[in-house]
Amino acid sequence: MTVGMVLANDRSRPLEFWFKLEERARVQLDELVAVDVFNPFNPERPVTVYAVVDDLVDSVEGLAFPGDTELLEQGASYGRRILMAHARVLRFVPDVLRPPRPGAEVRLALGGDLAKALYVDRMKDSALPIGVLRNGQPAYLNYDFLCGVAGGHVNISGVSGVATKTSFATWLLYSVLNSRRADGQYVARNRQDVKAVVFNVKGTDLLFLDKPNGRWADDERAYCQEAGLDAASRYQLLGLPAGPFERVSCRVPPRPGLAGADRLAGEVPAGATATPYAWSILEFCQKGMLPYLFALDPGSQMIQFVTEEVAEQLKRSTAGQEGPHVYLPPSETGDRDPAAARGTLEGLEADGRVKVTTLDELVEFVADMLLGQFWGKSHSQGTVHAFIRRFRGALRHVRHLVRGDMPPRELERARLDPLASSDMVHVIDIHDLHSVAQAFVVGVVLRDVFDKREAAARNAGTVYVVLDELNKYAPAQEESPIKDTLLDIAERGRSLGVILIGAQQTASEVERRVVSNAAVRVVGRLDMAEAARPEYRFLPGTLQERAGILSPGSMIVHQPDLPVPLLVTFPFPAWATRGSEVARAAADGGEGFDDLIALE
Amino acid sequence: MTLRFRLHPWDPDTLYTVTEFEQEGEHDPNLELGFEVPEDQWAPITPGPAEPRTVRFVDGARRHDAAGTIGDRPCLFVVMCVGSVASRLGTRVEPPAPLPASRYVIVAGEGGDVGPVSLPQYGITYEPRFAGAAERSLAAEAQRLMLDREAALAEELAAAHPGDLVVVDGPLRRSASYQNVLGYVKTTRRERLPSSHHWVLDALEPGQRTPVYLVAAGDRSLGDRLEWVIRPRPPALGVDPRQGLVRVQANSALSIAEARTLADWSAATLPAYSADYHHDPRAPQQLLIIKNLESDLRRTFGDRELLLGALRGALAA
């Protein structure tokens, strides 16, 4: 369908050109167009230039002064109106880089043209739907650049609240888990081995992933109607079923202050299903989790030495033990009286070891060891005291997460080991935790996942880690154990199948290497000052400005395969994001969901 | 033997200084000042608000592409275009469809074995026209050709749209048979009104007009016509108030009542079209819409340097 002609304004270049747009042509920003160009290397086969409209100018030629517009409206003067569109070139087929000829016809890129414009023809079986373009056509992401084959990691930036970062991350995950190719196979190869670890950082939104949303269909229909989309939902447009996530395991932290009970209890919002998580104090010692108590602020170099030494001592002392509690030797000197060394007989075992069942006890034990100069002799008293102070300070935020006072079966139930579980999506709720505890959980889980993947065989399946607030965990400036882990993931995770879907308000505040390793960059509404920073150079021209006015539900997606980022919208979640949205149980036989799925 | 065209090295506008074609005779025409109001009762007239009417403005534009010779006769390559735009105040103007330009090579003297000059690569042909004797009149002949075409277009429009008004840029020429054609005369070399009536001109304000008077041209080809004076805009600071006036001309066959209606309409309406001082060097007499039409017409002329090069190539071959 012809929509205009290339302008002879000396601006027709191989990478950008202007065209005169017919007034009635259904073209707006982000529309995809195609122009045929003579191919001197093979005159039989013209070059087709595919481009995206990134600017539109409506002006009146022949008016000397803008003020004369009034005269124009009054009919006392006249000019010729011209609607011009600026197009940024996406692709040449064949790959002959020639500018469009002025006067050449510009047509809408539809059907095969559209697939070529968006490189979908090259993605072949890896075309993963990521949203709907402004013209109602599906947009695709090359899955090879997501899953680690050709590239990996996703980085999402945007202002909190309006940028819908978490929603997009969840939607991306949904598409990965549910998209099928034309032949019925899943786009995500070995999907049965795909795992997702999702940290729920804010609110309780993600704890309802496995619950159908009773409201989305109406919202979605209304949206499609307003946008003039030829479908009842964008799921339908993208060939995806609409429904909640399957095989979800939601985990919440245990309620603090319940020591002595024989079951862990978590704060589960109404309508959600979740089980508590906790670590045994034995794991804490054996796996060297101590440094993660100070994950956000590890302290001075000297203090870090103490931390490392204590962690090492705990690891060594607890090797081969069976939990959940630990037995620690009161001293290493051997010839001293353990009771004297310890100062009290409480908790002292017959063999002279001390039974430790809570973190509080552990802190006191470690303090005794350090102050009695059994451990860390070479450190100054000041440093040792500083370490103990920090340890005690962290205690009240995490004491409910590390337990030795529970029956072993209960702690087994509370184990957090996504890779060993048969569930696919693991939502780990940390929103209500203090930031010290949040960092502890994130740090421990990420390290665990990474280490296990490092030890496992290749092609063990892909693990997607969804983490918001990257600026907190991998800040541009400071060093921390979590940042080390995130850097490990960013730089080596791709080959191990650990893919980070990270998000933050401002990419400029996140460690550059974490952001730059992301093959797929996504931008929601940005603060204008932020959008001007070099981290967003991948947004050409007007897109950078437009990032400042994006509406919720619209994202700009940049992928290595496409030279120009795409602006897409994604559907309302078909899974609940709060208790009130959870669709009524199927008891009444309604099952409105299956009807919608049947549309597909 | 067929004579060959050759180009003159000079820029045609330098060679043929473009002077305003002497549109009206040098001699004093007879004025009949008492046509509408007795001669001794002249005063500015303030008409009431005018009824909106569709006006068709007619104008032409021309350009000298090159000067040259054929044998020992000078010639001038010109391009011209004549067009019109319809306007009704309060409604946006529909830009006229683009018109093709006409190209002529005007040759001094009468006739002879002179063929057209073609530039086939641009699909352009300069048709020969003959100017008569003097070299000086080549530009004048070009102007005459254009004015003739303007007048012809005005007649055509007046006949096709009897309910509309047609405004021609410049004095009324041969449109004598149409009563809905007005001439819009921007320049007055020499004031023909008797000095006893000059105070009326000085006192005119925008929206006002002088009484209608009859200009009897005697045996002049221009013919008799009715005329009145309007002021499009208040004079700029420090500017002679006698300047900046416009003479509007109409068919002499109009009745007094018809002439009055037209005069009232023009005094009330035409100032709305006039160019402001920053729009045009010929403000305030120049009409902005005519200026726009002119530049619109020029769009079809093509690049002069390009054509000059092509002409050199064609004539050298």
Side-chain angles (χ1 to χ4, degrees), chain A residues 7 19-21 57-61 80-84:
Chain A
L7 281 177
F19 66 94
K20 181 171 190 260
L21 190 61
V57 179
D58 192 347
S59 68
V60 176
E61 289 183 340
R80 285 178 193 274
R81 183 147 163 257
I82 177 168
L83 195 54
M84 293 181 282

Side-chain angles (χ1 to χ4, degrees), chain A residues 281-362:
Chain A
I281 203 153
L282 180 69
E283 273 182 291
F284 181 85
C285 296
Q286 284 183 336
K287 290 188 177 162
M289 294 181 185
L290 178 65
Y292 291 99
L293 283 185
F294 319 117
L296 290 183
D297 177 19
S300 73
Q301 200 81 50
M302 296 314 291
I303 295 178
Q304 288 181 46
F305 284 145
V306 180
T307 311
E308 279 162 28
E309 184 170 344
V310 172
E312 204 47 48
Q313 287 285 4
L314 291 175
K315 211 185 272 184
R316 198 186 314 152
S317 316
T318 57
Q321 293 191 18
E322 282 181 33
H325 46 265
V326 291
Y327 294 100
L328 294 167
S331 79
E332 292 181 39
T333 50
D335 50 345
R336 286 182 62 186
D337 177 10
R342 176 130 168 93
T344 161
L345 281 174
E346 198 191 335
L348 205 61
E349 296 291 307
D351 60 358
R353 290 188 304 172
V354 181
K355 180 181 176 184
V356 174
T357 55
T358 64
L359 265 192
D360 295 69
E361 286 170 12
L362 187 70

Side-chain angles (χ1 to χ4, degrees), chain A residues 276-522:
Chain A
Y277 63 82
W279 287 272
S280 74
I281 203 153
L282 180 69
E283 273 182 291
F284 181 85
C285 296
Q286 284 183 336
K287 290 188 177 162
M289 294 181 185
L290 178 65
Y292 291 99
L293 283 185
F294 319 117
L296 290 183
D297 177 19
S300 73
Q301 200 81 50
M302 296 314 291
I303 295 178
Q304 288 181 46
F305 284 145
V306 180
T307 311
E308 279 162 28
E309 184 170 344
V310 172
E312 204 47 48
Q313 287 285 4
L314 291 175
K315 211 185 272 184
R316 198 186 314 152
S317 316
T318 57
Q321 293 191 18
E322 282 181 33
H325 46 265
V326 291
Y327 294 100
L328 294 167
S331 79
E332 292 181 39
T333 50
D335 50 345
R336 286 182 62 186
D337 177 10
R342 176 130 168 93
T344 161
L345 281 174
E346 198 191 335
L348 205 61
E349 296 291 307
D351 60 358
R353 290 188 304 172
V354 181
K355 180 181 176 184
V356 174
T357 55
T358 64
L359 265 192
D360 295 69
E361 286 170 12
L362 187 70
V363 173
E364 292 320 312
F365 177 83
V366 168
D368 285 348
M369 296 308 270
L370 286 171
L371 295 176
Q373 300 222 337
F374 300 113
W375 291 356
K377 286 191 200 66
S378 54
H379 299 294
S380 79
Q381 282 296 298
T383 314
V384 165
H385 277 288
F387 168 77
I388 295 171
R389 216 165 37 239
R390 295 170 75 83
F391 198 171
R392 284 198 178 119
L395 199 59
R396 63 194 156 102
H397 305 305
V398 294
R399 60 162 65 98
H400 58 299
L401 299 176
V402 180
R403 311 290 280 260
D405 55 351
M406 287 276 153
R409 267 194 37 233
E410 182 59 18
L411 276 170
E412 189 53 40
R413 197 174 70 95
R415 252 173 91 83
L416 204 46
D417 190 354
L419 298 190
S421 151
S422 62
D423 287 320
M424 266 161 84
V425 181
H426 298 262
V427 181
I428 300 172
D429 177 40
I430 55 171
H431 84 277
D432 226 3
L433 296 177
H434 185 272
S435 62
V436 168
Q438 286 184 333
F440 177 74
V441 175
V442 171
V444 167
V445 171
L446 288 186
R447 194 73 241 172
D448 188 47
V449 166
F450 190 79
D451 288 348
K452 281 191 174 134
R453 263 305 134 93
E454 210 169 23
R458 295 288 140 136
N459 307 323
T462 314
V463 186
Y464 291 95
V465 175
V466 179
L467 179 61
D468 199 352
E469 299 191 347
L470 270 188
N471 49 321
K472 196 155 113 189
Y473 302 114
Q477 309 301 337
E478 298 109 67
E479 298 301 317
S480 75
I482 295 197
K483 186 170 164 182
D484 290 345
T485 308
L486 285 169
L487 272 173
D488 267 346
I489 294 180
E491 292 178 338
R492 297 194 296 129
R494 179 157 92 72
S495 53
L496 299 174
V498 182
I499 302 298
L500 177 66
I501 302 181
Q504 69 280 318
Q505 283 213 49
T506 50
S508 58
E509 285 174 336
V510 174
E511 166 62 35
R512 198 182 47 80
R513 285 184 289 162
V514 170
V515 178
S516 64
N517 268 298
V520 180
R521 313 267 182 94
V522 182

Side-chain angles (χ1 to χ4, degrees), chain B residues 12-34:
Chain B
D13 290 340
T14 312
L15 199 59
Y16 301 96
T17 315
V18 188
T19 53
E20 187 103 341
F21 180 50
E22 202 52 51
Q23 290 166 338
E24 294 173 284
E26 286 291 328
H27 64 95
D28 282 342
N30 295 318
L31 300 184
E32 199 183 298
L33 298 180

Side-chain angles (χ1 to χ4, degrees), chain A residues 169-185:
Chain A
T170 345
W171 150 250
L172 191 60
L173 207 54
Y174 183 82
S175 180
V176 168
L177 295 176
N178 292 286
S179 298
R180 288 173 192 262
R181 315 188 311 225
D183 61 5
Q185 300 290 310

